[in-house]
Every structure is written in C-alpha cells, then in structure tokens.
Amino acid sequence: MMNSYWKESVNETNYPSLEKNIETEVCVIGAGIAGILTAYELAEQGKKIVLIDRDRCAMGVTANTTGKITSQHGLFYKYLVDTFGIEEAKSYLEANEEAIKHCKQIIDKNNIDCDFEFQDAYVYTNDEKEVSKIKEEVECVNKLGKDAEYCKETSLPFEVLAAIKFKNQAQFNVKKYLSGLLKVLENKGVSIYENSKVIDVQRKGELYNVVTGNGTIETKYVVLTTHYPIINFPGYHFLKMYQDRSYVIAIETNSDLFEGMYISSDSPGLSFRTIKDGDKRLLAVGGSGHKTGDNSVEMDENYEQLEKYINKIYPDAKVKYKWSTQDCVSLDKVPYIGEFSKLMPNVFVATGFKKWGMTTSHVAAKIITDKILDRDNKYEKIFSSLRFNPLKNYKEFGNILKQTTYSLVINKIKLPKESYEELEPGTGGVVEYNGDKLGIYKDENGKLYAIKPYCSHLGCELSWNNLEKTWDCPCHGSRFTFEGKAINEPAVKDIEFYEIEE
C-alpha cells in the first residue's frame, strides 16, 4: 500500500544498463517525464539520442505525482504579473495552455491509452481572508486572455466560499502515458539505459563525456532532466532552489465522486482528483507538505492528517495507496528551463517545476528542442535558467543560506544529545557512538546500520526520516537509504556505510 497507484498500474520497464563506451548526438540524463518528452521531441526531429537513468524509467518523482495537466498552478498569476509583468505572465500562461493541447496531440498521434480526460480545475477557499485573493486572481487571469470564472458552487461534497475555475484542463495516468512514449522511442531508435548512474559530465573540447560507473557516453549535447541538477558548478542551482515533500493517499468509497480537479488556496493546501481504476474510481487526496529534511515534522502524521480529513467526508473511505514525493522550487517560483550555463555550451537543464511538472515538462521539452535546433521559442524568456534573482524571494533566499550554514557548520560541531543505546527498534537518528557522531538506524530486530551523517553533495548534516527510513538533506533535498545509497538528487555519490554491533 505504501506505493503510488501509478506504479502499481503499469509494469516496470526493463532496459539494459550501460556497460560500454558509446557515442551519440544528444544525451538526456534522467528518464522522468521531462527527459522522456525531450527525447521524444528530439527523436521527432531525427536526432540520435541516448536516454539514461540511475533507476528504472519514470519511477522517481514522476511516478509519485497527482497527474494533473493544468495551467492553473494555485493562485499564481497575480504574483507573476506583480513580479515579472503582464507580458511574462501571459507567456507563462500560454505556454502551459499549449502544453495541455500538445499532450493530447501526442496521445492521439501515438494511440496511447493513458486514461486522459478533460476536467475543469479549481482553486477554492473556505477562508474569508482568501476570497479577495481569488477575486483578484480571476480578474488578473482574464486580463491575460484566459476565460477564468469566479464561482461559489462546485461539485465537491462540501460548500466553499469562493473558487476560480479554469475550463478544459486535464488529468491522466502518467505511467501509462510514459510507457507508451517509451515504446515510441524504441521504434525511433533511441538508446535507453537504466540502473546507470551518471557520476560526472566532463567537457572534451566541443564535446562532453557523460561518465557512469561502467561506461562513458561521448556527446555533443547534454540535457539534465534529473529533477535536481547533478552538476553544482557553474549552474549554482543549490543557491537558488529548495525541495518540498508532499503526501498523497488514494481512497475507495461507495459514495459518488465529484467531477473536476481541486486545490485549496491556503498553504500547504489540499489537492483532489479522481482516478480511473477499471470500472470504478478512486479519489486521490494530497497535501501535508514540508521542506525536505525538516526533522521538526512528525512524518507519520502526514498520512494520518489526510486520512482523518477524508474520513470526515467519506466515513467508509478505505485507503488503497499511499505515496509521497518531493518537488524542486525556484526562488521566484518559475521553473529553470534552457541553457545550464554560458560556461558550458550545449548543456541544457529543466528543473524547479514546483509540483506542476505535467505541463511544464512539455514546455521544457519544446524549449530545449528548439535550443538544440537553433530555433527561437517565444516562451523561453520567462523560464530562462540563466536568471538569478534571489531578491524576488529574499526571505526564502535567506532561509536557504541560514539552513546551509546551520547544517554545514553549526550542526557539525554540536555533539548529539542522544546516544545510540536510546534508539528504539525501528527508529534512527544522529547519535553518539563510542565518542563519535554517527547516523544510526536500528531495525525492528535491533540490528544497527551506521553512516557518517553528512550529505555527499555539499556536506550538510542529514536528518532521519522515520516514515520512509531514509536520510534526508535539509539543505538541498538529497536523500539516501539507511544503508547510505543515494536515491534523490542532487547527490550522486553514496555515503560510506558499515554495520556495527551493540
């Protein structure tokens, strides 16, 4: 049950690992939705492509989404107008609206069965203070050319004070969609490699060597779609982005379910959508977000809060699936898409989707394809990955610097208050062990698993995630198994692991 519905609905892929040195024209690193779509767009243009992933295709963040395909990204457009201006906000809106249409075109062209259906999308509130914000958002969106509606009635099983409605948005099964696209890529001759961790990208004149543990890919173009870029310099994304975790449950109920997709305007908010599951429907409910690595959060409570909430509405609700994910958020809340750095020509990046990767991945694939083909793209300016405007969110920029300083310096010189003897079975933490500072997990049988509790990315002290039994980095969102294996970017190197005995 601790798995996403999407993962359970489609068989895992089984592509080979890279075991030799090869050459290509474009190497796409990261086979989630952004990487697969970019490979698809480039293959449509006849490019020779290698698509490579550290795990199985579409099994990371993409497989843990809610699967909403919408240009409605919360109450966002008033913010965009105030921050970037009307033209840039309009560009963002149009790019995401086009993404919905393009997704449907891809599905129709390739006959992909992925439960795609058009749905209206709503941001709603039951907070009097939020009503004026929704009215302002409706007015703003209509000025940008989208026909948004202000309404007080929805098909939700509870009353709302106000909502903004976007018509003709969509939802689908993302794993079925990408499974179909991978078959298209195979037919187009794209080389796909799984379980092949990229550990470095080295410049070699006008070319690049993409280095893995068992083979190197020589390529002219590199596309980084690894959720969080695995290269630190000269992109500096660790200074202009952070990661948030959020949680989803899918429930079964005998009650009739509603039409539409919903998200509340308050933070962290609640998200609702239905899922086709054979001849019935499940309800996916998301929310309970927090920053990755925030050890002040009781992880177990995130699912409990969602379950308690939904049981008030559907007393017969049965939880069928649970999953969590994390999303990269840029300082100014707009994705970074395009050139990675002027110092690394022909390297491109797509990141910072802020939980709206179903549309923005389509946007990214188009922009990056146009960049490689040396074509203009009318939407690339708003998404430019070369921008760096921390003052647009100076508070969050300050939080990033504060957290990094705390984890890199202060935490390292502080001795743990707890010793390993105090750990209960099934728990972990940064503790004292024979005068040393270690990250230790004690399993249900009392066996100890120890690591040096410092992230292999930039060295921040890790936090223990007791819900998922992982070590999480509060600075940049890297995550590791209790045995020290890197499972989430930006870290690519594992942490030294060793067993100890009491």
Side-chain angles (χ1 to χ4, degrees):
M1 190 167 66
M2 283 288 288
N3 215 350
S4 82
Y5 173 81
W6 319 121
K7 287 181 179 179
E8 296 292 325
S9 67
V10 179
N11 291 332
E12 279 192 14
T13 51
N14 189 28
Y15 294 104
S17 300
L18 182 65
E19 301 289 347
K20 61 182 179 180
N21 297 337
I22 60 174
E23 297 178 0
T24 190
E25 187 175 7
V26 184
C27 180
V28 180
I29 308 173
I33 184 170
I36 292 172
L37 280 168
T38 302
Y40 171 79
E41 294 295 338
L42 289 166
E44 286 282 277
Q45 301 300 318
K47 293 295 182 182
K48 182 181 179 183
I49 304 157
V50 167
L51 176 64
I52 189 167
D53 198 275
R54 74 193 296 172
D55 198 349
R56 296 293 183 190
C57 293
M59 286 297 286
V61 173
T62 295
N64 293 293
T65 178
T66 55
K68 297 178 181 179
I69 317 165
T70 176
S71 60
Q72 186 193 70
H73 300 168
L75 299 182
F76 194 48
Y77 289 98
K78 176 68 164 55
Y79 161 81
L80 283 178
V81 170
D82 292 345
T83 306
F84 294 94
I86 291 177
E87 290 305 313
E88 299 299 335
K90 186 175 182 180
S91 180
Y92 184 99
L93 174 60
E94 290 178 354
N96 282 277
E97 281 287 296
E98 282 191 18
I100 302 170
K101 297 174 183 176
H102 186 50
C103 179
K104 184 64 166 64
Q105 290 168 355
I106 292 173
I107 290 167
D108 291 344
K109 178 179 179 178
N110 297 287
N111 297 312
I112 300 173
D113 180 9
C114 60
D115 302 329
F116 180 97
E117 54 186 350
F118 286 107
Q119 294 275 354
D120 295 334
Y122 301 77
V123 180
Y124 73 91
T125 189
N126 276 315
D127 184 345
E128 288 281 2
K129 297 177 182 178
E130 294 288 305
V131 173
S132 61
K133 294 180 183 178
I134 287 180
K135 290 179 178 179
E136 289 177 346
E137 186 77 0
V138 172
E139 182 180 353
C140 177
V141 171
N142 285 329
K143 285 181 180 179
L144 295 176
K146 171 72 178 174
D147 183 19
E149 294 181 19
Y150 176 80
C151 53
K152 294 184 178 181
E153 294 184 0
T154 71
S155 63
L156 285 169
F158 53 84
E159 293 184 356
V160 302
L161 285 178
I164 177 173
K165 175 182 177 181
F166 276 31
K167 295 180 181 178
N168 299 317
Q169 309 297 286
Q171 60 186 25
F172 66 169
N173 182 321
V174 64
K175 282 286 289 181
K176 288 184 178 180
Y177 178 54
L178 296 182
S179 180
L181 276 181
L182 286 167
K183 292 176 183 176
V184 174
L185 295 185
E186 289 181 53
N187 293 334
K188 289 182 175 293
V190 174
S191 298
I192 304 171
Y193 296 97
E194 296 182 323
N195 294 317
S196 302
K197 185 193 295 185
V198 173
I199 56 178
D200 200 6
V201 177
Q202 302 170 348
R203 190 167 180 180
K204 182 184 176 183
E206 295 183 356
L207 301 176
Y208 290 91
N209 281 339
V210 176
V211 183
T212 74
N214 296 308
T216 297
I217 305 164
E218 185 178 81
T219 182
K220 181 177 181 180
Y221 301 99
V222 176
V223 183
L224 297 169
T225 54
T226 52
H227 180 59
Y228 199 116
I230 59 172
I231 303 174
N232 289 324
F233 307 101
Y236 297 100
H237 287 86
F238 60 89
L239 286 176
K240 51 185 183 178
M241 203 161 60
Y242 59 95
Q243 297 202 59
D244 269 350
R245 291 196 68 75
S246 54
Y247 300 81
V248 184
I249 60 173
I251 65 115
E252 187 177 76
T253 174
N254 292 322
S255 302
D256 292 334
L257 294 175
F258 47 81
E259 292 294 317
M261 307 180 297
Y262 299 84
I263 189 169
S264 60
S265 64
D266 54 308
S267 181
L270 289 166
S271 168
F272 304 93
R273 67 153 287 187
T274 58
I275 297 173
K276 284 185 179 181
D277 183 33
D279 58 355
K280 62 181 184 296
R281 282 187 179 266
L282 303 177
L283 174 62
V285 185
S288 296
H290 61 84
K291 277 193 175 181
T292 303
D294 183 355
N295 60 6
S296 67
V297 176
E298 292 294 333
M299 302 294 181
D300 297 32
E301 294 181 2
N302 292 293
Y303 290 124
E304 291 174 8
Q305 290 172 0
L306 292 174
E307 290 179 47
K308 287 178 181 178
Y309 176 83
I310 208 63
N311 278 326
K312 292 178 182 179
I313 303 171
Y314 300 106
D316 68 336
K318 295 180 181 178
V319 178
K320 306 294 287 185
Y321 302 91
K322 298 179 181 180
W323 66 93
S324 65
T325 190
Q326 64 186 47
D327 293 270
C328 297
V329 184
S330 69
L331 286 173
D332 58 18
K333 304 180 184 179
V334 175
Y336 296 116
I337 301 170
E339 297 173 82
F340 179 72
S341 169
K342 290 295 185 184
L343 299 177
M344 295 184 73
N346 296 332
V347 177
F348 304 94
V349 68
T351 188
F353 293 159
K354 196 174 65 74
K355 304 182 182 181
W356 301 107
M358 299 301 99
T359 47
T360 47
S361 288
H362 286 80
V363 175
K366 281 287 194 180
I367 289 175
I368 291 172
T369 296
D370 284 341
K371 297 293 285 184
I372 288 175
L373 297 176
D374 198 25
R375 301 188 306 205
D376 291 332
N377 185 294
K378 62 181 177 179
Y379 302 126
E380 66 177 284
K381 183 181 177 182
I382 179 66
F383 298 101
S384 173
S385 50
L386 299 181
R387 72 187 190 280
F388 183 38
N389 300 304
L391 293 182
K392 290 184 182 297
N393 191 349
Y394 64 88
K395 181 179 179 181
E396 195 55 60
F397 184 62
N399 287 339
I400 290 174
L401 293 179
K402 181 180 179 181
Q403 180 63 66
T404 301
T405 301
Y406 190 83
S407 297
L408 276 174
V409 182
I410 298 175
N411 260 2
K412 285 189 174 181
I413 61 176
K414 289 174 61 178
L415 292 175
K417 295 180 181 179
E418 189 177 25
S419 68
Y420 80 97
E421 290 96 344
E422 298 174 67
L423 289 174
E424 295 292 329
T427 67
V430 177
V431 297
E432 185 272 332
Y433 177 80
N434 291 343
D436 203 358
K437 189 176 188 180
L438 296 179
I440 294 181
Y441 165 59
K442 180 187 286 186
D443 71 14
E444 298 293 347
N445 298 317
K447 186 176 180 179
L448 302 179
Y449 301 83
I451 61 164
K452 280 289 186 180
Y454 306 117
C455 183
S456 63
H457 173 230
L458 290 178
C460 291
E461 184 168 298
L462 301 171
S463 297
W464 175 248
N465 178 338
N466 205 53
L467 177 63
E468 295 168 307
K469 311 305 181 189
T470 59
W471 292 103
D472 300 351
C473 178
C475 293
H476 309 110
S478 299
R479 299 176 68 231
F480 306 83
T481 68
F482 61 80
E483 294 178 319
K485 181 181 178 182
I487 53 176
N488 276 110
E489 296 82 8
V492 295
K493 296 180 180 179
D494 297 339
I495 299 172
E496 185 179 357
F497 158 77
Y498 48 97
E499 294 183 21
I500 57 178
E501 297 182 1
E502 291 191 73

